[in-house]
Amino acid sequence: MDAPTTRSAGGDRSGDGSGDSSGGGSRSAGWFGTNPPRHRNGQHGEQDGPRDTEGRVPGRPFTQIRLVGSGADRSRTAPDSPAQVPPQRPAPPRAAAPAPTPSLASVPAPEDTSDAGLLRRTMAEIEPIADKVTSHFYSLLFLRHPDLRELFPAAMDTQRDRLFKALLTAATHADDPATLAAYLSHLGRGHRKYGTLPEHYPAVGECLIGALSHYAPRSWGPRAEAAWVAAYTTISQIMIDAAAEDALRAPASWRAEVVAHDMRTPDIAVVTVRPDQPYPFLAGQYTALETPWWPRIWRHYSFAGAPRSDGLLSFHVKAVPAGWVSNALVHRARPGHVIRLGPPAGSMTVDHNTDNGLLCLGGGTGIAPIKALIEDVAQHGRHRSVQVFYGARRGNDLYDIETMLRMQQSHPWLSVRSVVDDGPGSGLGARLPEAVYEYGPWHTYDAYLSGPPGMIRRGVDTLVDIGIPAHRIRHDSIEELVGARN
C-alpha cells in the first residue's frame, strides 16, 4: 500500500456516516480517534474544537516584532558615557534634508502565518532531507504498528518518494480545496487495492507528526503542529469518504487471467488478459498491474485498445533494467497465470463533442494508448483527422508499425508517420519536434502524447511553441510513468 498520502486510484464507502469502524467510513475514524470533518462537494468540513475567526486551530499567540531605529542603533546595548564622547563644536544650521524613501528591498516580506503557510514552511525545511524524514516515518510506523508492514512492498525506495510527493502536493494546494479534494479522492480510491482501511489512518497520522517534528525544528511549534493535525484530519477524511463511495460501484481490484502472450521483440511483449468481472474503462486510460511474483508492487500500463465486446484487455510491456513488474510480465507471465488490476485512471481520452483533429505523438510502448484512441474514434463513426507520429530509437524498435499501417489502410482519415532517432546519443523522441514542425498547421487539433517522460516534456514544449493551447494537450501523469515504460 502507498502511505495514505500517495498517488493511486480506487474506494470504500462510509455511507451516512453511522457505521462502525470496520464498515469503511466511521465518523470516529479521524486522527487520534477524533471526529474528523465531513467532506462535501470538494469543500472541507468544519473541525471539532475551538477555532479562530478564520477557521484555524488556535495556537500560541503570535506577536509581530517591529524593529525600531537603524541597525547601528540596535547594535548598541547602552548609550555612550559622557567620558567616552569628546566634546563637539555645534554645527552650523543646515536646511532640513528630505527624508530618504525606504528601499523596497530593505522591507522584509510579511511572514505567511496562515495554516497553509505553516505547512509550506515545514515542507521547505524538510525538502533537502526528504529521504531521512520518510525513512524515519516508516521506521516509526513499523515499530509502533508492525501489523501494517504486510500492506507495503518489500522494497520501500519508490514508496518513500511517493510519500514525499504526496505531502508536497497536499501542502502546495492546502488553500485550494477543489484541487486538493480531487487529488486526495483519487488517492483514496486507489488505496483500496492495497487493503487500506479507515482505522489505519490514525496510526499514519501520529507517525507522520512524529517524523515532521523531529526533522523540522526551525518551523515546528504548537501552531505548526495544530496546522498539520487539522490538515491531516481533512486529508484522511477525504480519502476515506472517496474510498467508501467507490466501494458501492466497483471492487477494490480485479483478478485477470493471461490468455495470450505475444513476444514482439526480445524485450517487448503484448500481454492480453481476461478480467474476472466486467472492467469499465475509456480508451487512452491506464491501470496499475501486480504480478504474483512480486506481491504489493504495482506499476502503471496503458490499455492498448478501446473497450472490446469480449471484455479482453491488452497491454504493451517493455522489460526495463531492474524492472520487477515489467520483467515478470515479459519473461515469466504465460497463458494461465493470474495477475491483479487496479481501477482505471487517466484523462488522456477523446472528447467526442468536438470535431477537432487528433495529433498523436507516441514513443516506444507509448504507441499502445495511441492505438486505443484510434480505435475509439473509429468506433464512434465520425471521420475526424488523426495524425500519428510514431517514434523509436531505431527502425527495428517500431515493433507495432505493421499494425499501425494496417489501421491506416482501413481508415482514410488516419495518417501514420514513423520517426527514428538513429543519431549517436540521441534519446527517444529527439526528432519528434522536428517532424511535427514539418507538417501542419495544427491549430485545429487536440494533442495527445504518450511515451517516456523526457519525450513528453519535449513534445509539450514543441506543441506550445506551434500554438496549441495547453488545455488541448493531454498526456498521462509523468511521475507515474517513470519506470513503467521505455
Side-chain angles (χ1 to χ4, degrees):
M1 135 182 143
D2 289 343
T5 43
T6 337
R7 176 123 186 186
S8 284
D12 209 52
R13 168 76 174 172
S14 61
D16 59 4
S18 60
D20 60 32
S21 62
S22 64
S26 165
R27 300 302 299 139
S28 63
W31 196 22
F32 302 133
T34 59
N35 187 14
R38 197 60 165 164
H39 172 70
R40 296 291 187 202
N41 300 325
Q43 300 297 322
H44 298 166
E46 292 297 323
Q47 305 285 345
D48 288 339
R51 305 184 70 84
D52 62 19
T53 57
E54 296 181 11
R56 297 193 297 262
V57 177
R60 291 181 177 177
F62 179 79
T63 304
Q64 290 185 327
I65 300 176
R66 183 167 56 88
L67 302 180
V68 179
S70 66
D73 294 335
R74 294 193 301 272
S75 67
R76 291 197 296 263
T77 58
D80 293 332
S81 66
Q84 295 172 316
V85 181
Q88 296 183 1
R89 184 175 300 172
R94 292 165 50 181
T101 303
S103 170
L104 292 179
S106 66
V107 179
E111 185 179 31
D112 184 357
T113 59
S114 66
D115 282 7
L118 294 171
L119 301 183
R120 284 190 279 266
R121 285 171 55 194
T122 302
M123 294 305 299
E125 183 175 355
I126 69 171
E127 186 170 8
I129 52 172
D131 288 344
K132 291 183 179 180
V133 179
T134 49
S135 294
H136 188 70
F137 160 75
Y138 283 113
S139 297
L140 290 176
L141 185 65
F142 298 151
L143 179 64
R144 298 177 183 178
H145 307 276
D147 54 309
L148 298 184
R149 183 62 182 90
E150 64 182 14
L151 301 180
F152 292 82
M156 294 292 294
D157 293 346
T158 302
Q159 191 69 30
R160 294 189 183 102
D161 294 340
R162 288 176 174 174
L163 172 63
F164 184 76
K165 174 183 176 294
L167 284 177
L168 187 61
T169 301
T172 301
H173 297 289
D175 47 6
D176 184 357
T179 299
L180 185 62
Y183 173 71
L184 295 173
S185 296
H186 179 66
L187 287 189
R189 292 189 295 268
H191 278 72
R192 293 181 60 215
K193 66 179 180 289
Y194 305 118
T196 306
L197 300 175
E199 53 265 32
H200 295 153
Y201 285 84
V204 171
E206 292 171 3
C207 297
L208 173 63
I209 292 297
L212 294 176
S213 62
H214 182 76
Y215 280 98
R218 294 193 306 273
S219 61
W220 201 258
R223 293 196 68 248
E225 181 170 340
W228 276 100
V229 169
Y232 184 80
T233 303
T234 299
I235 287 170
S236 60
Q237 193 60 46
I238 293 174
M239 294 177 67
I240 290 170
D241 286 351
E245 183 176 355
D246 193 66
L248 299 177
R249 301 189 298 260
S253 64
W254 288 255
R255 290 169 57 84
E257 179 185 358
V258 177
V259 297
H261 190 279
D262 178 17
M263 292 294 298
R264 296 292 183 87
T265 74
D267 58 0
I268 295 179
V270 176
V271 182
T272 303
V273 302
R274 177 185 291 112
D276 61 348
Q277 302 179 58
Y279 190 98
F281 73 99
L282 299 175
Q285 289 189 307
Y286 62 92
T287 187
L289 303 184
E290 179 203 51
T291 72
W293 300 282
W294 299 108
R296 299 180 299 282
I297 296 180
W298 298 77
R299 293 293 183 267
H300 296 98
Y301 293 96
S302 296
F303 300 104
R308 297 165 46 165
S309 58
D310 59 10
L312 298 182
L313 310 172
S314 291
F315 304 93
H316 294 189
V317 184
K318 179 180 175 65
V320 298
W324 294 9
V325 175
S326 65
N327 279 282
L329 291 171
V330 172
H331 299 303
R332 300 185 68 171
R334 292 296 181 267
H337 287 140
V338 176
I339 65 175
R340 277 211 299 162
L341 309 176
S347 58
M348 200 181 77
T349 57
V350 177
D351 181 0
H352 293 289
N353 296 317
T354 177
D355 292 325
N356 289 347
L358 276 67
L359 172 59
C360 303
L361 282 62
T365 52
I367 199 64
I370 302 300
K371 178 174 174 285
L373 296 177
I374 297 170
E375 292 181 358
D376 191 31
V377 172
Q379 289 176 3
H380 278 74
R382 297 173 63 185
H383 293 177
R384 301 169 61 179
S385 175
V386 179
Q387 305 290 318
V388 176
F389 290 83
Y390 182 5
R393 285 194 174 92
R394 295 169 296 275
N396 56 5
D397 289 336
L398 296 170
Y399 69 94
D400 211 32
I401 189 63
E402 293 183 3
T403 301
M404 302 300 295
L405 293 177
R406 285 196 300 269
M407 297 178 75
Q408 180 179 247
Q409 292 177 349
S410 302
H411 307 302
W413 40 264
L414 171 64
S415 177
V416 178
R417 301 178 180 90
S418 60
V419 182
V420 178
D421 302 318
D422 51 6
S426 62
L428 179 56
R431 289 192 59 231
L432 275 178
E434 174 187 339
V436 172
Y437 274 122
E438 187 177 342
Y439 298 89
W442 304 112
H443 61 277
T444 61
Y445 283 74
D446 295 333
Y448 297 80
L449 300 92
S450 180
M455 190 217 84
I456 292 179
R457 293 187 181 100
R458 286 191 296 270
V460 169
D461 290 342
T462 298
L463 298 175
V464 170
D465 286 344
I466 63 179
I468 298 181
H471 70 274
R472 283 169 41 201
I473 301 175
R474 303 186 182 186
H475 57 82
D476 289 336
S477 167
I478 291 178
E479 291 82 4
E480 292 187 346
L481 298 177
V482 174
R485 294 197 185 126
N486 181 1

